[in-house]
Amino acid sequence: MTQKLVVVGNGMAPGRALERLFEMVPGAFDVTIFNAEPRTNYDRILLSPVLSGEKSYEEIVIHGDAWYRQNGVTLHKGRKVVKIDRASKTVIAEDGTQADYDKLLIATGSVPFVIPVPGNDLAGVLTYRDIDDVNAMLIAAEQGGHAVVIGGGLLGLEAAAGLKARGMEVTVIHLMPTLMERQLDAAAGQLLKRELESRGIKVVTEASTRQIAATDPCLGPPRVAAVELQDGTSIKADIVVMAVGIRPNAVLAKDAGLATGRGILVNDRMRTSDTDIYGVGECVEFEGNVYGLVAPLYEQASILARELAGAPGAGFVDKALATKLKVTGVDLFSAGDFADGDDREEIVLRDAARGVYRRLVLKDDKVIGAVMFGDTSDSGWFFQLIKDSVDIAGMRETLIFGPAYAGGGNADPFAAVAALPDEAEICGCNGVCKGRIVSAITEKGLTSVDEVRTHTKASASCGTCTGLVEQLLTLSLGEAYNPAAVKPMCSCTELGHADVRRLVVAKQLKTIPDLMQELEWKSSGGCAKCRPALNYYLLSTWPGQYVDDNQSRFVNERVHANIQKDGTYSVVPRMWGGVTTPGELRAIADVADKFQIPSVKCTGGQRIDLLGVKKADLPAVWADLNAAGLVSGHAYGKALRTVKTCVGSDWCRFGTQDSTGLGVRLEKFLWGSWTPAKVKLAVSGCPRNCAEATCKDVGVICVESGYEIHFAGAAGLDIKGTVVLCHVKTEDEVIEVTAALIQLYREQGHYLERIYKWLDRVGMESIKAAVVDDPTRRNALFEGFMHSQKFSQSDPWAQRASGSTDSHEFSPIANLTYMEAAQ
Amino acid sequence: MTAMENVWLDIGTIDDIPRQGARVVKTPMGCIAVFRTASDDLFALNDRCPHKGGPLSEGIVHGTSVTCPLHNFVISLETGLAQGADKGEVATFPVRCQAGRIQLEASQLARSKDAA
Ligand code: SRM
Ligand SMILES: Cc1cc2nc3c(=O)[nH]c(=O)nc-3n(C[C@H](O)[C@H](O)[C@H](O)COP(=O)(O)OP(=O)(O)OC[C@H]3O[C@@H](n4cnc5c(N)ncnc54)[C@H](O)[C@@H]3O)c2cc1C
Ligand code: SF4
Ligand code: FES
C-alpha cells in the first residue's frame, strides 16, 4: 500500500534521502514536497563557483523537473509551509495549499543570522544562502563599486573572492583576531589573510560593526552607503553581505509542539518526538550537535531512507568533519579537532619559501586534527588517519611529510589508499565509496578527475576528496594518469579552457592582447593552438563588441574555403536542406567551366563541392555563385555546416511531417553562427530515419505527434548515436529548443569540443535543466542566440567578392617574374 | 650578376600585409612569402613548407614563427628552420622596410634561383 510522504523543504538533505528511498522501494511512497524556494533542488555548496563565474546555475542543479516527473513526486515550488496540524496530519502552505501525510519529513535547513545593528534592513544588505542571494550580488557587481562582507568564515570568504572575481572592491570585516578561526589555527588564519590581501581583498580583523549607514534620502530611496565600526571607522559600501553564521530553522516544528533545542531534536534514526514526523539536514539537532556541512547530512539522509523503507541499519553517529575553502587558487584544508590542550601534542611544518604550513594535532598516538595551507595534496590521507583513528606511533618521525614517507624506507605514496577496503567512503558529500570509483575508472575508461566527477559525482561538490580521487586514478591507471590534468590550453599558459572561458567573462576581457596580458600568457602573441580558441571565446562571449581577428583564424576560416593538399581550395555553396534548383545547378556548372575547376563532387552533406579552385580565382568564383543566389556553405568552419533532410510528408508515403521544410527553416535560422566545433544537423520525416539524424550533433525525427529532438551524435573519428533531448509539438518549438541548445553549447563548449564531448563533460541533467525544464532560461538562451546572429548572418563570400575585405589576401602583392626575362 | 647586388626591389607598402599575417610575391624561382609580425618585423621565406610543400603564407603567425596550414610544422621566420621535433629548412631572403615601403634584395633572389 502506498503511503503519503510529505516533505517540507527541498534542499540537499531531503533530495538525497528521496534518491535513496526511490532506489530501495520504488513506488512505496506517494511524495509531495513543499519548497519555499521557487525551483527544484540544486547543490547549495556550489553557489560560490556560480558567484565567481566558474559554473552556471544549470550546472549545479541536482534534480531537474524531469526527475520529479519520473518519480511521481508533486513538487510545490515557491510554497512555504506555515503550519503543521499534527491532529489531522496535514500541512498548510502560505497560499492555502494543503497536503495530508502518513509520514512527514521536515527539512527546512537553516536561516542566515543577521546581526542586530541599525540599518541591517536597508536595500543592498544581503545574506548568502540561496541562488537569489547570488543573483542579487551579481546584479550589484555589474555596477562595480564597493562590497563589504561581514564575517571572515567559510561563506564570507567565498563571497568575498567571488565578488572580487566579478570586479568589485572588496573588504572583509571579521570580529575575531584571525580568519576562519573555527576551522583554522591562528598561524594558518594569518597565512590565509596574507593570501587574500595579495589578491586585492582588504581584510579588517577584530572589527565589530556598529551600524550600517544609509544614502542621503534626498537622492532617492535609501540604500546602504557605508559600514561603520565600533572604533568609528567608516567603510564605503554599495552592498553588504552578511555571512556571520546560520541558525537551524526549527520554528515550524516548534510551533507544532515538537521537541526542539537549537534545532529539531531527533534520535539516531532521524525521528522527532512525534513518531510519524522525521527531520533531516541542518534543521535538526542530534545529541547536542547541529551540522552545517553536507557530509553528515547525507549520512542522515541515507539513514532516514533506510528507516522509511523499513530496512534500518546502523544509526547516526557524530564523526570528524573536513572543510575546504572553495576559492580557486587558495589551498586550504582543515579537519577534526585542533584546539590546544594538555593531553595533546602537535607536529608543525613550515616552509615559508613555498608558502606551505601544516599542523597535526595528536592525542594518544592518533591524529585528531589537521590544518593545511598552501599544499593540501595529502589532505585525504590525513583525514583518513583521523576518521579511522590509525595508530601512528610507527611513522611518527616522517608523518608530517605525508604518505610518500610513511612506512620508512620503501616510500609508497599510494599504500594508504591501496589499503582501503572497497566500501571505504571517499567522497563524503556524495557518499561515494572507493569500489564505485575504481570500477567506474576501469569500466568506463575514465582518465581525469573531471570525468570521475561526471560519472560518479565523487569530488563534485566541496572538492575536499579531490586528492583521494587523484590517487585512485593513479592507482588504477599508473603512468597513464597525469595528475596535472587540468590540461593547459597550450604551452603558452597554465590555464585550461574552462578557466579561460570563465575569466573572459569574470574579468571582462575583450581583446586577445588584453587577455594575454591579464592572464599572464607566457609567449608573446600566443601560438597556432590558443589563438583560434581565444578568438572564438571572445567572439561568442561579446557578440557585436569583439572585432573578429582574422589573423587568429585557421586559413580555411580566414579565406572561407578549404585548403587542399596542393594549396588550391574547395568551394561548397550552401544548398539549404539539400534542396536545389535547375538554376543553381546551372550556375555551378557554369562556374566550373569558366574557371576550369578540375573536380565537381557530391559531398556527404547533401551538396556540391567544387575542388581545385586557385586561390586567386576565389573572389570571382564567389561573385558568380552569389549572382545565382548561392552563399557560403561554411564547409570550412567551426560553424553550422549542413542540415540534411529526407523528402518527408511532401512525397514519401511514410512521412509524418514536412522534414524538408523544417530542415530548410533550421538551416536558414542557424547558418553563419560560429561554434566551438563544427555543428551538423539532420531532419528525418519518420523513424526510418533516412536523413541519418541519429548520428548528428542535433537530429530531429518527425513522428505523428510532433518532433523528437535528439542530440550529441557523431559519425567521424568516434561513432555515437544521439540521445533524446525532448519531444515537442510544433516546428517553432523545434527551432527554439535547437537554438537554445546550440547557444548553451556556444557559451560552455571548449574550442574543438564537439557537442557529444561537451555533453560528456557537463552532463545531461544540466543541459536539460536549461534547455527543456526551465522556459525562462530557454528563452534567454534563444534571445542570446538571436542577438549573436545579428552580427554573423552576412555572407562572407559576398564581402570578399566585392573587394571590401582583405583585398590583398587573394592575389600576390607584387609580381617579379619579369626579372627572368630581364636576365 | 654583380649588377644586381644591393638592388632593393620595391614590392608594396607595409600596410599591404596585416600584422601577424603574410602576403605572396611571385618571383622567377617561385613564390616568396613576406611575413609581418605583431611588432612589425618583416621576414621573407620561400612559400613552400619543407614537409609537403604547404603554402607557409597561409599559416598562423605567432611570435617569430609560422605554423604551416597543412600539417602544423612550426617554422622559424628568422632561420627558416623547422622547430621542435620536426626537421627541415626553408630558404630565407633579405627584406627591409624603408619609409613604409617593403623592399626585397634582388641578388639573393637570383642566387637562389641558380642554387635551385
Ligand atoms: C567534402 C566532405 C567529403 C565528401 O566529399 O563528401 C568532407 C571533407 C572533409 N572533411 Fe569531413 N567531409 C564531409 C562530410 C563528413 C561527414 C558526413 C556528414 O557530414 O554527414 C562526416 C561524419 C559525420 C560527423 O561529422 O560526425 C565527416 C567527418 C569528418 C571529420 C571527423 C569529425 C569528428 O569530430 O570526428 C573530420 C576531421 C575534423 O573535423 O577535425 C573531417 C574533416 C574534413 C576535411 C575538412 C579535412 C580537412 O581538414 O581538410 C575535409 C575537407 C575537404 C574539402 O576541402 O572540402 N570530416 N565529414 C564532406 C563535406 C560535407 C559538407 O557538405 O559540408
Ligand atoms: C554559500 C554556501 C557554501 C557552502 N559550502 C559548503 C561546503 O563547501 N561544504 C559543505 O559541506 N557544505 C557547504 N555549505 C552548506 C550546505 O550547503 C548545507 O549544509 C546544505 O545545503 C543543507 O541542506 P538542507 O537540506 O539541510 O537545507 P537547505 O539546503 O538549506 O534547504 C532547505 C530548504 O528548505 C526550504 N524551506 C525552509 N522553510 C520552509 C518552509 N516552511 N516550507 C517550505 N520550504 C521551506 C528553504 O527554502 C530551502 O530551500 C555551504 C552553504 C552555502 C550557503
Ligand atoms: S575521409 Fe574526409 S578527411 Fe579523410 S580523406 Fe576523405 S575527405 Fe579527407
Ligand atoms: S606541408 Fe607543412 S606541415 Fe605538412
Side-chain angles (χ1 to χ4, degrees):
Chain A
M1 191 199 74
T2 55
Q3 291 203 69
K4 282 190 251 145
L5 172 65
V6 171
V7 185
V8 184
N10 193 31
M12 299 180 69
R16 171 54 57 91
L18 291 175
E19 256 174 39
R20 290 278 182 273
L21 186 65
F22 296 149
E23 273 164 31
M24 278 187 277
V25 284
F29 287 90
D30 174 8
V31 181
T32 303
I33 307 178
F34 287 84
N35 189 17
E37 285 186 65
R39 50 185 71 89
T40 62
N41 187 12
Y42 60 94
D43 194 336
R44 207 174 289 287
I45 297 190
L46 297 179
L47 286 174
S48 297
V50 174
L51 177 63
S52 67
E54 282 159 80
K55 280 201 174 358
S56 66
Y57 174 68
E58 290 74 45
E59 289 173 85
I60 72 165
V61 168
I62 299 177
H63 299 134
D65 283 314
W67 186 84
Y68 295 92
R69 265 200 307 277
Q70 275 155 21
N71 292 292
V73 175
T74 309
L75 172 62
H76 294 301
K77 294 180 194 171
R79 290 191 202 163
K80 183 176 174 184
V81 171
V82 287
K83 185 169 164 27
I84 299 170
D85 186 340
R86 288 166 60 197
S88 65
K89 294 186 125 184
T90 321
V91 301
I92 304 159
E94 230 164 8
D95 69 342
T97 313
Q98 297 203 2
D100 298 338
Y101 64 83
D102 297 312
K103 301 280 181 211
L104 176 65
L105 173 59
I106 306 182
T108 44
S110 299
V111 280
F113 186 69
V114 175
I115 47 173
V117 292
N120 67 7
D121 54 352
L122 282 169
V125 179
L126 306 169
T127 53
Y128 190 16
R129 182 71 198 167
D130 58 30
I131 192 71
D132 296 320
D133 296 327
V134 171
N135 289 334
M137 286 187 235
L138 291 180
I139 289 169
E142 263 174 30
Q143 316 289 317
H146 293 77
V148 173
V149 176
I150 305 182
L154 194 80
L155 253 51
L157 297 182
E158 289 185 6
L163 291 166
K164 183 75 199 171
R166 294 288 186 169
M168 293 191 87
E169 292 294 318
V170 182
T171 307
V172 174
I173 57 183
H174 190 51
L175 191 58
M176 307 303 283
T178 57
L179 295 173
M180 284 182 73
E181 75 289 344
R182 289 182 354 163
Q183 291 91 6
L184 298 183
D185 57 10
Q190 206 58 42
L191 285 169
L192 176 60
K193 177 170 180 229
R194 226 180 297 152
E195 173 67 35
L196 294 172
E197 283 170 344
S198 78
R199 291 159 175 250
I201 295 173
K202 294 200 193 75
V203 179
V204 188
T205 49
E206 294 180 272
S208 167
T209 308
R210 190 178 64 200
Q211 67 162 329
I212 299 173
T215 47
D216 186 342
C218 308
L219 303 173
R223 44 175 296 120
V224 26
V227 173
E228 288 171 11
L229 304 181
Q230 291 295 358
D231 69 3
T233 323
S234 167
I235 305 168
K236 186 171 171 4
D238 299 297
I239 56 167
V240 173
V241 179
M242 286 211 194
V244 288
I246 52 174
R247 263 205 303 230
N249 185 2
V251 191
L252 187 67
K254 194 171 177 191
D255 290 349
L258 297 175
T260 55
R262 278 191 291 161
I264 306 167
L265 300 183
V266 292
N267 69 6
D268 69 346
R269 309 285 158 164
M270 302 297 117
R271 188 171 289 189
T272 67
S273 55
D274 179 328
T275 49
D276 290 323
I277 305 185
Y278 293 85
V280 72
E282 284 189 346
C283 60
V284 305
E285 176 178 336
F286 171 72
E287 293 182 349
N289 299 303
V290 296
Y291 299 90
L293 291 171
V294 162
L297 307 185
Y298 275 0
E299 182 62 30
Q300 293 178 355
S302 298
I303 291 167
L304 171 78
R306 285 201 299 271
E307 178 76 10
L308 288 173
F316 185 69
V317 285
D318 190 54
K319 273 196 248 160
L321 294 175
T323 333
K324 189 174 185 290
L325 183 68
K326 301 187 300 299
V327 173
T328 308
V330 179
D331 283 324
L332 181 159
F333 172 87
S334 117
D337 179 353
F338 53 87
D340 295 324
D342 288 344
D343 56 347
R344 293 158 182 213
E345 303 163 83
E346 59 176 3
I347 307 178
V348 176
L349 170 82
R350 284 177 210 269
D351 182 343
R354 284 200 305 141
V356 169
Y357 170 84
R358 266 183 193 187
R359 173 157 170 254
L360 299 177
V361 180
L362 310 181
K363 187 176 159 186
D364 305 332
D365 281 335
K366 296 192 174 121
V367 184
I368 60 163
V371 180
M372 271 169 233
F373 189 91
D375 173 8
T376 54
S377 51
D378 297 331
S379 57
W381 186 70
F382 286 113
F383 188 42
Q384 202 65 36
L385 296 183
I386 299 176
K387 282 201 288 193
D388 296 350
S389 300
V390 176
D391 189 319
I392 50 85
M395 53 178 165
R396 201 184 155 116
E397 303 282 282
T398 56
L399 182 64
I400 191 85
F401 301 112
Y405 297 85
N410 46 2
D412 177 0
F414 303 106
V417 192
L420 290 177
D422 274 355
E423 318 74 70
E425 187 176 79
I426 301 291
C427 172
C429 292
N430 293 297
V432 190
C433 64
K434 174 181 162 185
R436 231 174 96 202
I437 299 176
V438 171
S439 63
I441 294 172
T442 45
E443 281 159 25
K444 303 219 164 85
L446 312 183
T447 56
S448 69
V449 176
D450 266 349
E451 288 174 349
V452 172
R453 282 185 187 138
T454 315
H455 288 275
T456 67
K457 291 220 173 135
S459 134
S461 293
C462 79
T464 316
C465 64
T466 308
L468 281 174
V469 172
E470 287 184 335
Q471 291 181 4
L472 288 176
L473 276 161
T474 315
L475 266 182
S476 314
L477 303 178
E479 293 289 295
Y481 172 61
N482 165 19
V486 173
K487 265 197 226 110
M489 273 179 75
C490 61
S491 55
C492 304
T493 176
E494 299 297 335
L495 298 170
H497 285 268
D499 298 315
V500 172
R501 288 220 80 158
R502 167 175 61 81
L503 291 165
V504 162
V505 179
K507 293 184 174 253
Q508 303 264 312
L509 304 173
K510 298 199 174 170
T511 67
I512 291 179
D514 272 3
L515 183 150
M516 289 182 174
Q517 179 69 25
E518 187 69 24
L519 304 185
E520 299 175 0
W521 236 242
K522 292 187 285 184
S523 62
S524 79
C527 71
K529 260 192 182 160
C530 59
R531 286 239 306 280
L534 299 182
N535 190 55
Y536 170 72
Y537 293 153
L538 293 169
L539 193 70
S540 56
T541 311
W542 312 115
Q545 296 182 44
Y546 175 68
V547 183
D548 200 338
D549 178 21
N550 241 345
Q551 299 311 130
S552 294
R553 282 188 179 265
F554 181 66
V555 57
N556 288 3
E557 293 186 354
R558 189 153 48 77
V559 305
H560 296 274
N562 295 62
I563 194 164
Q564 304 295 312
K565 56 187 268 191
D566 60 356
T568 63
Y569 286 82
S570 77
V571 168
V572 186
R574 234 172 239 297
M575 206 165 260
W576 309 97
V579 181
T580 184
T581 61
E584 286 181 352
L585 291 173
R586 206 168 282 123
I588 291 174
D590 286 345
V591 162
D593 276 345
K594 178 167 162 190
F595 296 94
Q596 294 170 12
I597 295 171
S599 183
V600 182
K601 178 181 180 304
C602 290
T603 73
Q606 297 190 343
R607 47 199 192 165
I608 291 175
D609 198 350
L610 296 160
L611 293 134
V613 183
K614 291 190 232 20
K615 191 180 183 193
D617 287 343
L618 286 172
V621 166
W622 293 335
D624 283 7
L625 293 172
N626 279 164
L630 291 158
V631 297
S632 165
H634 293 83
Y636 46 78
K638 307 300 167 215
L640 179 87
R641 294 277 177 95
T642 57
V643 181
K644 287 174 54 163
T645 68
C646 72
V647 285
S649 58
D650 264 3
W651 296 99
C652 178
R653 65 201 163 106
F654 295 116
T656 60
Q657 311 279 354
D658 177 13
S659 50
T660 319
L662 176 57
V664 172
R665 256 189 92 182
L666 276 167
E667 190 166 352
K668 293 217 154 147
F669 192 80
L670 301 170
W671 78 278
S673 71
W674 298 106
T675 41
K678 57 187 171 189
V679 172
K680 300 175 174 179
L681 277 74
V683 186
S684 286
C686 84
R688 288 169 193 76
N689 192 18
C690 298
E692 299 167 319
T694 49
C695 64
K696 292 290 174 277
D697 297 282
V698 183
V700 180
I701 307 274
C702 302
V703 288
E704 285 298 341
S705 59
Y707 307 84
E708 257 174 24
I709 304 182
H710 292 235
F711 78 119
L717 303 166
D718 285 306
I719 306 229
K720 291 257 173 194
T722 48
V723 291
V724 178
L725 179 66
C726 62
H727 177 281
V728 298
K729 292 208 171 59
T730 64
E731 282 196 356
D732 287 350
E733 288 170 288
V734 174
I735 304 252
E736 181 176 343
V737 169
T738 306
L741 175 71
I742 290 178
Q743 181 63 11
L744 190 65
Y745 167 58
R746 296 181 73 236
E747 289 173 9
Q748 295 181 348
H750 296 172
Y751 192 64
L752 301 187
E753 177 180 64
R754 271 186 91 171
I755 286 191
Y756 71 93
K757 292 190 176 153
W758 165 64
L759 166 68
D760 263 2
R761 182 168 57 81
V762 306
M764 186 68 176
E765 194 71 47
S766 78
I767 296 177
K768 259 198 175 151
V771 175
V772 182
D773 296 340
D774 179 351
T776 327
R777 177 79 177 123
R778 173 171 67 236
N779 191 257
L781 286 165
F782 177 78
E783 294 293 333
F785 183 77
M786 294 282 282
H787 177 69
S788 117
Q789 283 298 74
K790 278 199 248 167
F791 309 99
S792 49
Q793 276 197 332
S794 67
D795 178 27
W797 287 355
Q799 288 164 13
R800 284 158 187 79
S802 71
S804 62
T805 312
D806 293 339
S807 52
H808 279 294
E809 174 78 60
F810 300 97
S811 50
I813 53 173
N815 188 341
L816 304 180
T817 39
Y818 66 85
M819 282 169 56
E820 197 146 45
Q823 281 170 46
Chain B
M1 201 79 63
T2 38
M4 297 284 267
E5 239 158 69
N6 289 324
V7 177
W8 291 88
L9 299 173
D10 183 291
I11 57 163
T13 82
I14 181 109
D15 296 329
D16 289 333
I17 310 180
R19 287 211 172 100
Q20 299 185 304
R23 290 294 183 250
V24 171
V25 178
K26 277 189 152 181
T27 75
M29 36 75 56
C31 289
I32 291 180
V34 182
F35 294 88
R36 177 180 176 191
T37 66
S39 50
D40 285 344
D41 291 321
L42 292 175
F43 297 98
L45 279 77
N46 193 357
D47 192 21
R48 279 180 62 80
C49 176
H51 180 223
K52 293 193 172 172
L56 295 176
S57 56
E58 311 281 39
I60 290 182
V61 179
H62 44 98
T64 50
S65 305
V66 60
T67 295
C68 175
L70 291 195
H71 319 97
N72 296 329
F73 267 42
V74 177
I75 309 289
S76 160
L77 297 176
E78 284 163 326
T79 62
L81 289 170
Q83 305 291 290
D86 296 323
K87 296 260 171 306
E89 183 174 4
V90 204
T92 60
F93 302 92
V95 61
R96 68 179 188 189
C97 184
Q98 293 272 294
R101 305 289 311 175
I102 302 169
Q103 300 173 341
L104 271 178
E105 214 263 322
S107 64
Q108 267 291 70
L109 301 180
R111 209 173 296 138
S112 292
K113 189 206 163 211
D114 293 346

